[in-house]
Amino acid sequence: DAMVIQNPRYQVTQFGKPVTLSCSQTLNHNVMYWYQQKSSQAPKLLFHYYDKDFNNEADTPDNFQSRRPNTSFCFLDIRSPGLGDAAMYLCATSGRKNEKLFFGSGTQLSVL
Amino acid sequence: AQKITQTQPGMFVQEKEAVTLDCTYDTSDQSYGLFWYKQPSSGEMIFLIYQGSYDEQNATEGRYSLNFQKARKSANLVISASQLGDSAMYFCAPRSNYKLTFGKGTLLTVNP
């Protein structure tokens, strides 16, 4: 019954080696989000899509990119991961404005 | 950017007692939503309760209720009859348009 699915649960990459995290949803929601959550901190919004419209947060580093090829899938690309990018990455979806967000279980990224 | 203040980094409560987690926020929007999410050590984000800015009644969901004071921009979460499984991080998160912004959170520990 999982509605927002993130794969993999754990991802290990090397310093500077590009990595892609994936998210899929079965809710047919218009909006998809990527949050970064570092240890003992609050989740921080990186960007979101409203349908195909991409909305980047002003303080999201250029190193982070995203793709949404269709309604169901959204990808987070980290072009050159640094040690500071080690974090939990949470994908979320929502439908109407001011409706609650549905979260995936997250991908824990480690950078060696 | 939205400013959200959760003044209690950590709280302790005895099992079966009630506890209040504080949240104040700063928004110039007239229409917004207020959410509380729970994040146990497993990392998943669990939706607890929602309050719309135009709702006249305080929201309730089972053991969770909101003490919403719009003029003070305050939305405190009340958990009644605490259970051991309530031990987790709790985030207050106002939503304006399509963006959900998290406070720094309160770590609640329920003691037996």
Side-chain angles (χ1 to χ4, degrees), chain A residues 9 33 35 37 42 94 99 101, chain B residues 37 39 42 95 98 100 103:
Chain A
R9 182 73 175 90
Y33 306 80
Y35 284 85
Q37 186 178 23
S94 79
E99 191 178 80
L101 270 63
Chain B
Y37 280 83
Q39 189 177 41
S42 57
R95 183 172 181 189
Y98 293 95
L100 189 76

Side-chain angles (χ1 to χ4, degrees), chain A residues 49-91:
Chain A
Y49 277 93
Y50 185 96
D51 291 329
K52 287 191 176 296
D53 292 335
F54 178 69
N55 297 271
N56 200 26
E57 292 301 297
D59 56 355
T60 298
D62 292 340
N63 198 24
F64 290 85
Q65 305 284 319
S66 186
R67 296 170 283 135
R68 188 179 185 187
N70 53 52
T71 301
S72 301
F73 286 88
C74 195
F75 300 97
L76 170 62
D77 301 308
I78 308 176
R79 292 192 298 190
S80 182
L83 299 179
D85 297 328
M88 173 75 85
Y89 290 87
L90 294 163
C91 174

Side-chain angles (χ1 to χ4, degrees), chain A residues 6-17:
Chain A
Q6 289 188 248
N7 285 307
R9 182 73 175 90
Y10 299 93
Q11 175 76 55
V12 181
T13 191
Q14 291 181 327
F15 183 93
K17 184 175 181 182

